[in-house]
Amino acid sequence: MTGALAGLATAEAVYIVFLSWRAHRFLKRKAEEIDQLLDIIRKRLAGDEPGP
C-alpha cells in the first residue's frame, strides 16, 4: 500500500513539473509576442514606421 502511495505521489509530482514547464513555455511565448507588439507601437509613436 505504501509503495502504491509513493508511486502515486511521484506520478503527481512529475505531472506538476510537466504542467509548470508547459505554462512557462506558454508565458514566455506570450511575453515575446507582447514585446514585439510594444516595439511596433514604439516605432509608430516615434514616426519610424507607418501605420496600417
Side-chain angles (χ1 to χ4, degrees):
M1 182 69 174
T2 307
L5 289 176
L8 184 60
T10 302
E12 187 175 4
V14 168
Y15 182 67
I16 290 170
V17 168
F18 173 74
L19 287 181
S20 298
W21 173 72
R22 289 286 308 237
H24 176 264
R25 281 185 48 206
F26 174 79
L27 292 174
K28 183 178 179 183
R29 187 170 51 245
K30 292 300 172 187
E32 290 170 356
E33 290 176 12
I34 291 170
D35 284 342
Q36 290 173 355
L37 290 173
L38 287 173
D39 285 342
I40 291 170
I41 291 169
R42 285 186 196 108
K43 287 178 183 178
R44 286 186 184 167
L45 289 175
D48 296 340
E49 188 174 305

